[in-house]
Every structure is written in C-alpha cells, then in structure tokens.
Amino acid sequence: CLGCPVTSTFRHRHPSSIRACFQPSCSASFPPFHFPRRTFTAWCNSHLRKAGTQIENIEEDFRNGLKLMLLLEVISGERLPKPDKGKMRFHKIANVNKALDYISSKGVKLVSIGAEEIVDGNLKMTLGMIWTIILRFAIQDISVEETSAKEGLLLWCQRKTAPYRNVNVQNFHISWKDGLALCALIHRHRPDLIDYSKLRKDDPIGNLNTAFEVAEKYLDIPKMLDAEDIVNTPKPDEKAIMTYVSCFYHAFAGAEQAETAANRICKVLAVNQENERLMEEYEKLASELLEWIRRTIPWLENRVAEQTMRAMQQKLEDFRDYRRVHKPPRVQEKCQLEINFNTLQTKLRLSNRPAFMPSEGKMVSDIANAWKGLEQVEKGYEEWLLTEIRRLERLDHLAEKFKQKCSLHESWTAGKEQLLSQKDYETASLMEIRALMRKHEAFESDLAAHQDRVEQIAAIAQELNELDYHDAASVNTRCQGICDQWDNLGTLTQKRRDALERVEKLWETIDQLYLEFAKRAAPFNNWMDGAMEDLQDMFIVHSIEEIQSLITAHDQYKATLPEADKERIAIMGIQNEITKIAQTYGIKLVGVNPYTVLSPQDITNKWEAVKQLVPLRDQMLQEEVARQQANERLRRSFAAQANIIGPWIQTKMEEIGHVSVDITGSLEEQMNNLKQYEQNIINYKSNIDKQEGDHQLIQEALIFDNKHTNYTMEHVRVGWEQLLTTIARTINEVENQILTRDAKGISQEQLNEFRASFNHFDRKRNGMMDPDDFRACLISMGYDLGEVEFARIMTLVDPNNTGVVTFQAFIDFMTRETAETDTAEQVMASFKILASDKPYITVEELRRELPPEQAEYCISRMTKYIGPEVALGALDYISFSSALYGESDL
C-alpha cells in the first residue's frame, strides 16, 4: 500500500511483505479513478492473447475466475489447480479463491480482498487485485544494483536514459509526460526504430504516440496509455506508467537473452569453420610439400661428373641456387605445416572436438621422414660436388702455380749470366772492390735462396706428370731449360768470387785508415748533434728550482768543451795521414770515405755551430729565471687569500649544521637565524670574486701547482657553492617544517620532541641517521617493528636507497603516520557502483557517469579487462585503482 497509514507495508522489498490494502478506513485506498482501467485491461490482454483469448470488460470477464486463473498461469508459467466447470455462484467463488490462494502462495498478503467482491464485479477490488498481480509478477522481480520493485525499475530507467538530452527520469508520473523518456528507452535498445535526433520536447503528444506505435508494432507491447490523457493530466497515473514501463523492461531483457544465445551459436559455428579451413590448408600444404620432395630427390642423386671446371662450378651454382632460392620457402612451409597442425589440434581440444587425423601418408611424422631423406641425399650431393671441384681445382692450381714460379725464376735470372761475366773490379778502388764483394756475397745468398724455388718447380712438374696433365710435354721442356741454366749460374758465381778476393788485399792498408776515421768521427759527430739539440731544446719549467737545475746542467756541459776540441784535432790527424800515404805511393783516392758520409769539412762546420749556440743558451736560461720569480709572487698572493677563505667556508658550514638541529627556539627563530647567516654569506662574495681575479692571473701565467696552500680555486668554488646550497636547503627544510606543522596541526612541542629524538640518535652529528639508528629511534617512540614493516618504512623515508635518513624525511614520516587518506579499496567500491556490480567498466559507462575530463583520464589509463564473456571495450578499474596508490605496476 503506497502511503497507507494503516498498513504502510508496500515499500518493504521482500515478497512476503507485499500487501494489498482495501480497508474502508485507509485514506490511501484506491478510488475508482486511481486504477488505470484501460492500462490494466491492455496489460492483461498482452498476456492472455498468448493463450488465444482476451477480455473486454475487466470487472465482468474475471467474475467466473476462469480467465483470472488463465492469466496467472500465463504470467507465472505454472499450472494452477483445475478450475470448477459449473456456472453457479459457488463455482465462480471457488475458482476466484484458487487464484487468490495462488497469489497468496507467492508471498502477497491480500487485505480486504475477497472472492465474493470479484464475483460480484466490484471494479475497485478487481483493479486492486490486478495491480497486486502486476506488482508481484511484472515489477517485484526487477532488480538493479541491490534495489528491486519500484526503486529498481526507476534506477533501470535512469541508467538507460542518462545519456539522452532533455530526459531526466525522477519518478513514474511527470518525468514521462513529454514522451522523450519512452523514446529514449526504445532508442537505447533498438536505435533502428526511432531517430531520436528528430524528436522535439515541445511535441509531447507526437513523441508519446511515436513510442506507443513503435512499441506495439515492433516490440509486441500493446498500447496501454492515451497520449492526450498523459499530457493533459497534471500528474499522470503512477501505476499506469509503471505497468507500461515494466513491459519495456521485460521485452528488452528477453531480447538481450536471445542475442546472447545467437552470439553463442555464431561463435560455435565460427570455431568449427575455422577448424575445417585449417584442416583443408594442412592437407593442401602437405601434398604440395611431399610432391616437391619427390621431384627434388632424383636431381640430387645424379652423380655424373663434368669434364671442365666451369661446368662443375655451374653445377655447384645450381645447387647453391637450390639452397638459397628453392629450399628456404619449403623449409618455411614445413615449419608452418607443423605450426598449423599443432594449432589445429589445440583448437580442437579446447573446443571439445575430436583430434584431426590427416590422410594416409600425410602425417607430420611422414613429412618429417621424407624431409630427413631429402637432407641425407642433399648432404651426399654436396660432398660429391665439392670433391670433384677440389680435384679439378687442384690440377688448374698446379698448372698455374708452375707457370707463375717459372715466370718469376726466369725474370730473376734474366741478365745474371752477363753480370757474372763482367771484369769491372780491374779498375775499381778498394771500397768499390769491397762493395762488389759484398754485392757478390748478397747475390750468392740470393742464389742459395732461389734453390728452393727451382726444387719446387721440379716437384710441381713431377706432380703434373703423375696426375696426367694434358700439357705435360711443354711443362717438361720448360723445367729442363731452367735446370740447365741453374747449373751454369753456379759455375760463373764461383769464378767471380776468386777474382774479387785477389784484388781486395791491395787496398787493405788504406782501408784501415778510412775505418779508423769513421769509427772516431761518428761518435764525435753524434756528440755534436746531441749538444746542438740540447742547446736548442725548448724547455718548460714551473718553479725556480727547475730552472736552477737547467742552469747547473748547462754549466756542466760548458766544462766539457776543451776535451771535445782535443778529440776533434785527433780525428782531423787521421785524415791528414791518409792523404800523406796516397801522395807517397801515388794512389789515386777516388770518391769519399766508404765507411762514413762524414767529411773533415762536416766536422769543422758543425764544431763552429756548437760554439755559437752556447751564449744563446745562456741568455734563454736567464730570461726564464726572471719569469719564474714573478710566478712565485703570484703563488704566494693566491695562497694567502685561499688559506683564509677555505677555513671560513668550513666554519660557516658547521655553524649552519648546528643551527639546523638546534631545538632551543621555535622554527621562526631558527628561520631568522638562518636568514642572517645567508646575508653574511652573500656579503662575503666580494672575497670570492677577488680570489677569482688572482686565479685568472695564475692561469694566464700557466701556473699549475702551488705548494703554499692546499686549497685550489676549484676547492673554493665547490665549497662556496656547497655553502650557498646548504644554507638554501636548510632554510627550505625549516620552511617545510613550518608548512608541515601548520598543515598537519602539529604543535611546536611535538616538532621539538621529533627533533630531540632525531638529534639523540644522530650519532655522527651530521644531520642524518643510519638505518640501525633509525630503527632504534622508532622503537624508542613505541613502534613494534618486524623486518618486513621496517623495510616498508625505509622505502618511504629513503626512496633513493642512499642508506641514510634525513631530518626532513623523518619529519615527513612522523606527520604522515597521523594523517588520514583515501584508500584504494574505497575507490574500487565507487567504481563498482558505476559499473553495476561488474568486475569491469565500459567506456560508455565512464562517459555517462563522470565529467568529460575525468572520464577521458580514466579511459586513457585503464588497461583492457581480461575475463570471460566481457563487453566490448571493457576496462579494468581494479588495477587502475591500485595504481593510483602505488600498489601495482600499472
């Protein structure tokens, strides 16, 4: 009873709680106009026509109880007790009671409705009974998101019509007056029946009639309402609208089930068709591959050798072409055949079909055996080809090698016989004779080295004869000529050696003097070269000590000059003695000293050059002394300033560290102190700039070291930058602590307590705690830590795995421990509501339920849902929710 002050029971959702109240004292009892007589009549006929009958007058046609029982059988699908056939009043009452008993058996409590009123044609009671039947069998079973009956039907309508413009379903009366809600329901499920874009809100009668006509013609829903009555009534009858709308719910629910059944059939057929296609494809590929193997094996078994190298190479090229071009596609076909077979068997097994059995001789094992036979024949064919080619290649190689070695030998021996027959030594000097002797010795060595080539030529000729080379006659003739010439060269070589040895002894005395000159002139010349190189050598020094070392070495060099002059005079005396001997014995000295390229004039000229370089070296060394003295002054100036700045920076760093861990004052007082430190540091910048100027002068002077200080400009720069960074970071940490204190509602006393705990366990006093100290700190504050829990906390306070916990990370952790945040489970529960209790959500649902920006954000980041029989475009909101809180790798 809707709003009944007596019973007030209809709004309960359990079927056993449904009551139909018709008490005279109930202010909510139904007046005659309250029940839509026409709607209920049409609703009854929509079910009775399935049994081949209908009613004309609702209060008259149900009086005998027969059509009432038939109506209940049609809508419930159950058989009622056999009706009484008599036409007496008690027969009719009995039939109506059977119907009412059946209604009561379904959990509906009928109050003030009796069989006598129905038999007597009481319109009010008859309509009330029909409404009770509609509630129980058409509306009560509707369930949407844990809501049922009226609320469930209303929620279903709201969900289905949510995306449509000008539609806002809030009830079952005025929300349906313009007809757009009914058109939206039809268009949502059957967009082919209505062009929703052409509907107008200002044409409610047209919209309603369109919906009524389409529903009656295409959805088998009879016209139960009148468009003019709905439009002209301030508040259309709620029961009539609910009755009519429930027909749409049941009609579309049945259509969805039919569509699901059709899809299942299509899926099964598609699987079967795909399996048949794979079977046919396997049979075709197997037949083609076996035929190709059958045609290829005889070609590979042919072992008829060719007579020429070119022909055999063509055979090899044909085989390589077979390997590169013809076989690879067949290998791929064989692999694809096995893949198709395995895939087919898997699909058959998964779809509960019997395994595929290929035709006789086309099993995978048959194809594998045939392929194995092909590869064995192929291997034998390749080995035979290579053996034949090596044999022919060996013959061609030997013949070519014989020609090449003969050509090289003949080219080397050309003119050698005429050269050995010359008597050029008769007019030569001793040096020329000795040169000729050395040249002859070299020729003898060369001759001995060529002995191997002659023997190789003979050996190759013999092997060509043994292999029955076709041009063996010309090979033998050429080999014999080379051997005869080789014997003649040996005889001439020995004769020339004897002649050269006789002439050589005549010039030995003069030669000894030449040799002595060369032995003493060469080292003296080398000494002068080294002296000139040292005197002209460029030097780079970086200190006064280094230049003084060079000056000392130069003084030592000048002390050796008198001894060097004595050696020069002795060398020139040897040359004078050679000249005297030649004049005494009338020997003509031809050419220069054969043992050296140095002449007496070369020695004299170089000695004069050495004497001129000595004063120039003295001048260069004195200039460098002056430059190094200036550099030393720059070093001392830089060191004096650096030794002040470096300790100052270190002191300020320590003072800032003490301020950052001080707990005596408030955070604002710490901030003021740090600001003062920052200003003092900025004021000190002029000293750094001056130091940079001194450093620039040192760089321009190419000074790279400074023994007067341990501080380099790089040390000063790095220390200065670290000082600026430290003061800025410390100020930022204090600012963050102030923000944390104000945002989290933490008192100054709590912050001081956190700082005192941190300082107590900061054993190194460097503003950081080791993991062991951090664990001890947490335990002292009442945490019960296991290894897993402590590891989790360390990932929060040390995400970069540095091995230390800073004070700021410690403060963030302590404040975060007391904060309340949303959880991934809460977000999952919210998505579950939007998805109608499904484990996934669709793109359409996101766009319908969320603002556009948030909907597109979710669509772009949610992964595809993996599960059985999911809707197209289903998205996984569970992994997405976990990822929002860092609980997955999404």
Side-chain angles (χ1 to χ4, degrees):
C1 176
L2 293 172
C4 175
V6 179
T7 59
S8 185
T9 57
F10 175 70
R11 292 192 183 275
H12 296 284
R13 296 175 182 173
H14 196 278
S16 63
S17 301
I18 297 177
R19 298 180 181 178
C21 178
F22 303 98
Q23 298 180 16
S25 62
C26 177
S27 60
S29 60
F30 306 110
F33 61 83
H34 194 70
F35 287 102
R37 178 176 181 178
R38 176 180 176 181
T39 302
F40 285 8
T41 301
W43 182 85
C44 292
N45 284 333
S46 68
H47 293 286
L48 287 173
R49 66 186 178 185
K50 298 175 183 177
T53 185
Q54 64 178 11
I55 62 174
E56 297 294 338
N57 192 320
I58 194 167
E59 69 272 20
E60 293 294 332
D61 293 347
F62 282 143
R63 290 180 62 183
N64 60 5
L66 295 177
K67 289 188 178 181
L68 179 60
M69 295 178 66
L70 182 61
L71 174 64
L72 291 172
E73 288 183 346
V74 171
I75 62 177
S76 67
E78 300 179 4
R79 296 290 296 178
L80 270 67
K82 187 176 181 181
D84 293 351
K85 296 297 185 178
K87 296 183 180 182
M88 303 295 291
R89 176 179 172 81
F90 72 89
H91 290 120
K92 296 178 182 181
I93 291 174
N95 291 335
V96 172
N97 274 327
K98 292 178 182 179
L100 295 178
D101 291 341
Y102 178 78
I103 295 173
S104 297
S105 69
K106 295 303 179 180
V108 180
K109 297 180 180 179
L110 298 172
V111 180
S112 301
I113 296 180
E116 292 78 3
E117 286 83 354
I118 304 302
V119 172
D120 292 340
N122 188 320
L123 178 60
K124 174 182 175 181
M125 294 302 176
T126 303
L127 292 177
M129 178 189 65
I130 296 301
W131 174 240
T132 301
I133 294 173
I134 292 173
L135 285 176
R136 175 60 184 84
F137 294 99
I139 298 176
Q140 184 61 36
D141 291 336
I142 297 175
S143 178
V144 178
E145 288 193 1
E146 300 183 358
T147 62
S148 59
K150 178 183 177 181
E151 290 85 353
L153 182 61
L154 181 62
L155 180 58
W156 179 77
C157 295
Q158 290 172 340
R159 286 293 179 83
K160 296 300 181 179
T161 61
Y164 292 87
R165 57 182 174 83
N166 298 327
V167 177
N168 183 18
V169 178
Q170 298 297 328
N171 48 56
F172 284 108
H173 37 80
I174 60 175
S175 296
W176 304 83
K177 289 186 66 173
D178 58 8
L180 291 177
L182 286 172
C183 292
L185 279 179
I186 297 173
H187 184 268
R188 182 65 181 268
H189 296 87
R190 291 289 303 275
D192 56 310
L193 300 181
I194 292 180
D195 187 354
Y196 188 83
S197 62
K198 294 181 179 181
L199 300 178
R200 303 196 318 274
K201 188 174 181 63
D202 58 358
D203 185 20
I205 294 179
N207 298 337
L208 288 167
N209 285 328
T210 297
F212 296 158
E213 293 170 1
V214 169
E216 186 172 25
K217 183 176 180 180
Y218 296 102
L219 304 178
D220 198 26
I221 298 175
K223 184 177 180 182
M224 301 180 184
L225 306 172
D226 184 77
E228 287 77 6
D229 290 345
I230 294 175
V231 173
N232 296 329
T233 302
K235 182 179 179 182
D237 187 85
E238 186 176 49
K239 298 174 183 60
I241 300 296
M242 286 179 64
T243 302
Y244 189 61
V245 172
S246 68
C247 294
F248 284 90
Y249 176 86
H250 292 292
F252 291 136
E256 291 176 358
Q257 293 175 356
E259 182 179 357
T260 301
N263 290 337
R264 181 179 292 109
I265 293 173
C266 292
K267 181 179 179 180
V268 172
L269 294 178
V271 169
N272 202 61
Q273 291 172 337
E274 175 64 14
N275 291 341
E276 291 179 355
R277 184 189 67 79
L278 290 175
M279 293 177 188
E280 294 174 358
E281 183 177 345
Y282 177 87
E283 290 285 341
K284 179 182 177 182
L285 287 177
S287 299
E288 293 176 353
L289 185 59
L290 289 171
E291 176 61 21
W292 178 80
I293 293 173
R294 185 190 62 79
R295 288 186 281 103
T296 304
I297 288 179
W299 174 66
L300 294 174
E301 290 177 339
N302 183 10
R303 297 292 192 274
V304 178
E306 301 293 341
Q307 297 298 321
T308 64
M309 185 67 177
R310 181 182 297 274
M312 288 304 296
Q313 286 178 339
Q314 184 59 45
K315 274 184 173 290
L316 181 60
E317 186 62 30
D318 293 342
F319 180 71
R320 288 173 178 168
D321 186 62
Y322 155 78
R323 279 275 183 85
R324 289 192 304 262
V325 179
H326 300 290
K327 186 179 179 183
R330 302 301 178 176
V331 174
Q332 187 175 1
E333 288 180 7
K334 177 178 176 291
C335 180
Q336 188 62 44
L337 196 67
E338 295 173 355
I339 292 173
N340 290 354
F341 182 80
N342 294 333
T343 301
L344 176 60
Q345 297 293 43
T346 301
K347 287 185 176 182
L348 291 172
R349 183 174 65 256
L350 293 177
S351 58
N352 295 321
R353 267 69 165 186
F356 170 60
M357 182 61 66
S359 303
E360 184 178 357
K362 296 180 182 179
M363 293 288 293
V364 173
S365 58
D366 298 330
I367 295 172
N369 292 334
W371 189 266
K372 182 177 180 181
L374 173 69
E375 290 185 335
Q376 290 175 348
V377 175
E378 179 183 304
K379 181 180 179 182
Y381 185 72
E382 183 180 21
E383 292 174 352
W384 173 77
L385 276 177
L386 294 177
T387 301
E388 286 298 313
I389 289 175
R390 281 196 294 269
R391 185 183 69 82
L392 293 176
E393 186 179 28
R394 177 65 178 168
L395 278 175
D396 290 348
H397 171 71
L398 287 174
E400 186 62 30
K401 187 175 182 180
F402 177 81
K403 293 177 183 179
Q404 181 183 10
K405 287 186 176 295
C406 288
S407 297
L408 289 174
H409 180 78
E410 291 166 351
S411 175
W412 181 81
T413 57
K416 293 293 189 297
E417 291 174 303
Q418 292 80 5
L419 182 64
L420 291 172
S421 300
Q422 289 180 356
K423 296 183 179 181
D424 50 351
Y425 51 84
E426 293 180 350
T427 57
S429 64
L430 177 60
M431 297 304 298
E432 291 173 340
I433 290 173
R434 287 187 172 178
L436 290 174
M437 191 64 186
R438 302 293 181 269
K439 184 177 180 180
H440 186 71
E441 290 174 352
F443 173 78
E444 288 178 330
S445 298
D446 198 12
L447 186 69
H450 281 73
Q451 177 68 34
D452 290 340
R453 179 181 294 164
V454 174
E455 292 175 356
Q456 290 174 4
I457 291 173
I460 293 172
Q462 182 180 355
E463 187 172 358
L464 287 172
N465 279 276
E466 291 173 353
L467 293 175
D468 196 18
Y469 182 59
H470 64 88
D471 197 14
S474 62
V475 170
N476 293 335
T477 300
R478 193 172 184 181
C479 181
Q480 186 61 45
I482 288 173
C483 291
D484 293 342
Q485 184 188 34
W486 186 253
D487 293 339
N488 187 38
L489 284 175
T491 302
L492 292 175
T493 299
Q494 185 61 40
K495 289 181 179 180
R496 184 171 176 82
R497 166 174 278 279
D498 295 340
L500 288 173
E501 287 177 349
R502 285 194 304 268
V503 177
E504 182 181 11
K505 294 180 180 180
L506 299 175
W507 292 89
E508 286 182 352
T509 301
I510 295 175
D511 181 67
Q512 289 296 325
L513 293 174
Y514 274 140
L515 182 59
E516 181 68 17
F517 177 88
K519 287 181 177 180
R520 300 186 67 172
F524 185 70
N525 181 68
N526 291 337
W527 177 86
M528 288 191 295
D529 287 339
M532 293 178 67
E533 182 179 358
D534 292 339
L535 291 171
Q536 300 177 84
D537 185 28
M538 300 297 296
F539 55 83
I540 298 176
V541 294
H542 301 93
S543 65
I544 293 177
E545 289 79 4
E546 292 180 2
I547 191 61
Q548 288 295 343
S549 177
L550 290 178
I551 292 173
T552 301
H554 183 63
D555 291 340
Q556 292 174 354
Y557 162 74
K558 289 191 293 184
T560 63
L561 288 178
E563 288 295 328
D565 191 39
K566 290 179 182 180
E567 179 66 14
R568 180 188 67 81
I569 293 172
I571 292 172
M572 297 305 293
I574 294 174
Q575 181 62 33
N576 293 334
E577 187 177 356
I578 292 174
T579 303
K580 181 179 179 181
I581 292 174
Q583 292 175 351
T584 301
Y585 294 100
I587 298 175
K588 185 178 180 180
L589 299 177
V590 181
V592 296
N593 191 329
Y595 297 109
T596 181
V597 296
L598 295 173
S599 66
Q601 188 62 42
D602 293 335
I603 300 296
T604 301
N605 293 339
K606 193 168 291 186
W607 175 255
E608 293 299 326
V610 170
K611 290 194 296 182
Q612 292 175 2
L613 289 173
V614 172
L616 295 177
R617 184 70 169 184
D618 289 335
Q619 181 181 354
M620 292 175 60
L621 292 173
Q622 291 304 319
E623 292 174 352
E624 183 62 26
V625 169
R627 191 175 74 86
Q628 289 301 323
Q629 290 173 346
N631 289 350
E632 182 66 15
R633 288 192 292 272
L634 289 175
R635 288 189 183 94
R636 292 180 182 276
S637 176
F638 178 87
Q641 186 69 10
N643 290 334
I644 295 173
I645 295 175
W648 184 88
I649 292 175
Q650 183 62 33
T651 300
K652 294 301 177 184
M653 291 283 286
E654 294 174 357
E655 291 175 356
I656 293 170
H658 291 314
V659 171
S660 65
V661 298
D662 188 12
I663 64 174
T664 57
S666 66
L667 292 177
E668 286 74 10
E669 292 173 350
Q670 292 182 30
M671 177 63 71
N672 293 332
N673 292 336
L674 290 173
K675 290 290 185 180
Q676 293 176 4
Y677 272 103
E678 184 180 34
Q679 187 60 43
N680 293 336
I681 291 169
I682 293 173
N683 295 336
Y684 199 77
K685 179 66 165 55
S686 59
N687 297 318
I688 304 299
D689 295 339
K690 181 180 182 303
Q691 189 75 353
E692 285 285 2
D694 292 345
H695 179 66
Q696 182 176 354
L697 294 176
I698 285 178
Q699 286 186 323
E700 292 173 354
L702 301 179
I703 299 174
F704 301 106
D705 60 345
N706 193 340
K707 65 182 180 180
H708 304 295
T709 180
N710 292 326
Y711 294 99
T712 65
M713 194 63 222
E714 183 64 23
H715 291 149
V716 174
R717 289 194 194 104
V718 172
W720 179 254
E721 291 171 359
Q722 288 178 347
L723 181 60
L724 293 177
T725 302
T726 300
I727 187 64
R729 183 176 63 247
T730 305
I731 291 173
N732 178 254
E733 288 177 355
V734 175
E735 290 174 345
N736 289 339
Q737 292 172 28
I738 293 173
L739 290 175
T740 302
R741 180 196 65 190
D742 297 340
K744 301 297 183 178
I746 298 175
S747 65
Q748 182 65 41
E749 290 73 14
Q750 287 178 302
L751 282 176
N752 289 341
E753 181 182 351
F754 292 157
R755 184 180 293 278
S757 299
F758 184 89
N759 291 343
H760 176 74
F761 289 96
D762 179 12
R763 307 186 191 281
K764 297 182 180 178
R765 295 297 183 265
N766 59 355
M768 294 177 286
M769 286 192 293
D770 294 336
D772 292 339
D773 295 336
F774 179 56
R775 179 195 289 270
C777 180
L778 292 179
I779 293 174
S780 72
M781 299 179 73
Y783 283 82
D784 184 11
L785 297 175
E787 291 297 331
V788 176
E789 177 62 15
F790 181 69
R792 181 191 71 81
I793 294 176
M794 281 302 296
T795 61
L796 297 177
V797 299
D798 185 19
N800 297 325
N801 198 23
T802 60
V804 294
V805 180
T806 64
F807 179 70
Q808 186 60 42
F810 177 75
I811 289 294
D812 291 342
F813 170 74
M814 296 306 298
T815 55
R816 185 167 56 246
E817 285 294 295
T818 60
E820 293 185 359
T821 58
D822 293 330
T823 64
E825 290 74 14
Q826 292 173 337
V827 177
M828 291 180 195
S830 299
F831 273 119
K832 186 175 181 181
I833 293 173
L834 299 184
S836 303
D837 287 337
K838 300 189 296 296
Y840 59 85
I841 192 167
T842 64
V843 173
E844 292 75 12
E845 289 172 336
L846 286 171
R847 288 175 174 160
R848 184 174 68 238
E849 303 294 344
L850 298 178
E853 182 178 353
Q854 282 73 19
E856 295 304 323
Y857 177 86
C858 294
I859 292 169
S860 64
R861 285 164 174 77
M862 284 187 180
T863 59
K864 183 179 179 182
Y865 178 79
I866 305 301
E869 298 183 2
V870 298
L872 182 63
L875 301 175
D876 186 356
Y877 63 78
I878 296 178
S879 62
F880 173 76
S881 301
S882 298
L884 290 178
Y885 292 86
E887 299 176 4
S888 75
D889 297 329
L890 186 62

